Amino acid sequence: MNAEQINGQSVGGKRARLAEAIPLDSPFLVQVFPVYACNFKCNYCIHSLLKKDRGFIANKIMMDFELYKKCIDDLAEFPQKIKMLRFAATGEPLLHPQIAEMIKYANDKEIANSLDIVTNASLLTKELSDNLIDAGLDWLRISIQGLSSQKYKEFCGIDIDFDDLTESIRYFCKKRNECKVYIKIIDCALEENEDEKFYDMFGNICDKIAIEHLNPAVPDIDYTKLSDTPLTITQNGNAVQNAQICPQPFYMLQINPDGNIVPCCGMKTAFVCGNVDTESIFDVWNGNKLKKFQLAMLKKQKNNVCKKCEVYKFGMFEEDVLDGSEDRVIENFK
């Protein structure tokens, strides 16, 4: 297998120790949420629920391109490049008809060290692959949902030609130039003894590969029915930290399709700290509204949505833990 097998670490490599780095003058990560819709209904995802049962996420399906351009222009105001601009969140980014133009605009503005897309790859045509590569995409992160058409039907509720899907992925990997490819699958999407089949199928065409672990992202879904494995390890394979402080508001922002700026990638919107349409992302990052939210998090004074959320625990790394350092961090904020 040519690909690097990832287990217990970030795809991007070693992380900065957050408690020693914050407050940050520039966010490490900005996540663009271009489409609040998905062509899959994976049984572990919020899209398997009726929209009325999801809680508030966004009041618009598709991000306007002019609003997106303002996002990128705003990011140019930061004193340092952000480490990653990631196109992801609660939806499938490739549904956006201008996704390649979005990548190109960000690439031309040179506002991030890495431009990443997280996708199920089902819409990855040859034309779109060529356009994304030409636009300057740095990482394509592909989520596989099974190793057969039958498994996709069972797991995602959709009919897909698995051979066509894998051929599209192979085309991208062959043509990718400088773009890197990470291919992952969630453990409960594999049948017994299929681990090696997954690695054999994709391990020689991508740069990094992993079997990730199911994590309880949505409180309304009973995850104990989806997997026989106890939910005691993170998505990336580490022991779950019993951390009370969510680290995400201290290193990232997410821009929702309606322009709302939120400080995490939770499945339900916990807090809106601004809107790109009327405010600068730079001003929001440095503004009192977000700082008050961060300080409340450090003091473990969570709002009602945050009190019920444990999503962050299953995406954390040891370097992200702020518990035990909160007093020093609060002093740094002052």
Side-chain angles (χ1 to χ4, degrees), residues 99-329:
I99 189 66
E101 292 95 323
M102 287 178 160
I103 295 293
K104 185 177 188 309
Y105 191 81
N107 187 51
D108 289 346
K109 291 289 183 176
E110 299 182 343
I111 47 84
N113 292 331
S114 183
L115 304 175
D116 296 36
I117 289 178
V118 182
T119 175
N120 61 39
S122 63
L123 303 174
L124 197 63
T125 63
K126 290 182 178 180
E127 180 182 7
L128 181 54
S129 292
D130 292 340
N131 290 341
L132 290 172
I133 293 164
D134 292 344
L137 183 66
D138 292 298
W139 275 95
L140 187 70
R141 303 180 181 219
I142 299 173
S143 299
I144 301 296
Q145 308 297 338
L147 300 185
S148 67
S149 299
Q150 180 181 350
K151 190 63 178 182
Y152 268 78
K153 181 67 173 179
E154 171 193 331
F155 204 65
C156 309
I158 54 99
D159 292 308
I160 191 168
D161 188 316
F162 186 71
D163 291 337
D164 285 350
L165 173 65
T166 54
E167 184 57 36
S168 296
I169 293 171
R170 288 178 181 279
Y171 178 87
F172 187 96
C173 291
K174 183 178 179 180
K175 304 280 285 188
R176 67 183 185 269
N177 294 330
E178 299 300 315
C179 181
K180 304 295 185 184
V181 178
Y182 170 52
I183 298 180
K184 58 180 178 171
I185 192 169
I186 198 164
D187 52 6
C188 59
L190 290 169
E191 300 292 341
E192 189 175 355
N193 300 320
E194 277 194 331
D195 293 21
E196 288 306 314
K197 182 179 179 181
F198 168 68
Y199 290 129
D200 289 344
M201 190 174 291
F202 297 105
N204 288 317
I205 64 171
C206 61
D207 299 279
K208 297 190 178 185
I209 193 167
I211 297 174
E212 294 188 344
H213 304 278
L214 181 68
N215 60 87
V218 185
D220 310 84
I221 295 174
D222 185 357
Y223 288 87
T224 61
K225 294 180 178 179
L226 303 181
S227 175
D228 296 328
T229 305
L231 302 174
T232 57
I233 54 177
T234 67
Q235 178 179 335
N236 297 94
N238 298 307
V240 172
Q241 303 274 349
N242 189 27
Q244 296 184 53
I245 301 172
C246 174
Q248 293 184 16
F250 300 91
Y251 68 81
M252 73 163 287
L253 291 173
Q254 177 174 289
I255 317 299
N256 286 359
D258 49 15
N260 280 343
I261 304 170
V262 299
C264 71
C265 53
M267 287 290 185
K268 293 185 179 180
T269 300
F271 172 71
V272 176
C273 47
N275 190 286
V276 182
D277 195 38
T278 56
E279 300 166 87
S280 159
I281 298 175
F282 178 86
D283 290 341
V284 170
W285 180 253
N286 292 288
N288 288 331
K289 191 174 182 180
L290 178 57
K291 289 295 182 286
K292 287 180 179 178
F293 180 82
Q294 292 169 326
L295 286 168
M297 183 65 68
L298 288 167
K299 295 174 182 177
K300 303 180 178 68
Q301 299 169 351
K302 297 182 178 183
N303 65 31
N304 288 335
V305 175
C306 291
K307 284 178 182 177
K308 298 175 183 177
C309 178
E310 291 195 331
V311 174
Y312 68 93
K313 293 182 181 180
F314 291 85
M316 283 180 67
F317 295 87
E318 188 272 333
E319 296 91 340
D320 299 338
V321 176
L322 296 175
D323 297 64
S325 302
E326 55 265 45
D327 291 341
R328 177 165 55 86
V329 174

Side-chain angles (χ1 to χ4, degrees), residues 16-147:
R17 192 162 293 278
L18 192 59
E20 298 171 4
I22 57 178
L24 302 175
D25 60 7
S26 309
F28 287 158
L29 165 68
V30 173
Q31 181 158 282
V32 173
F33 180 2
V35 182
Y36 176 31
C38 190
N39 56 333
F40 285 10
K41 293 182 179 180
C42 300
N43 59 15
Y44 60 85
C45 177
I46 201 166
H47 282 285
S48 67
L49 302 176
L50 295 174
K51 192 170 182 179
K52 67 181 181 63
D53 297 327
R54 298 177 196 168
F56 178 70
I57 296 176
N59 57 19
K60 193 169 186 179
I61 294 175
M62 201 81 65
M63 179 179 282
D64 294 334
F65 192 68
E66 289 304 312
L67 181 68
Y68 168 77
K69 287 168 63 178
K70 182 179 180 300
C71 293
I72 302 305
D73 295 344
D74 284 359
L75 294 178
E77 298 177 21
F78 284 96
Q80 301 180 60
K81 283 185 179 182
I82 61 173
K83 292 181 182 293
M84 184 197 304
L85 183 70
R86 183 168 66 198
F87 295 79
T90 316
E92 170 50 55
L94 299 190
L95 283 169
H96 200 292
Q98 294 174 287
I99 189 66
E101 292 95 323
M102 287 178 160
I103 295 293
K104 185 177 188 309
Y105 191 81
N107 187 51
D108 289 346
K109 291 289 183 176
E110 299 182 343
I111 47 84
N113 292 331
S114 183
L115 304 175
D116 296 36
I117 289 178
V118 182
T119 175
N120 61 39
S122 63
L123 303 174
L124 197 63
T125 63
K126 290 182 178 180
E127 180 182 7
L128 181 54
S129 292
D130 292 340
N131 290 341
L132 290 172
I133 293 164
D134 292 344
L137 183 66
D138 292 298
W139 275 95
L140 187 70
R141 303 180 181 219
I142 299 173
S143 299
I144 301 296
Q145 308 297 338
L147 300 185

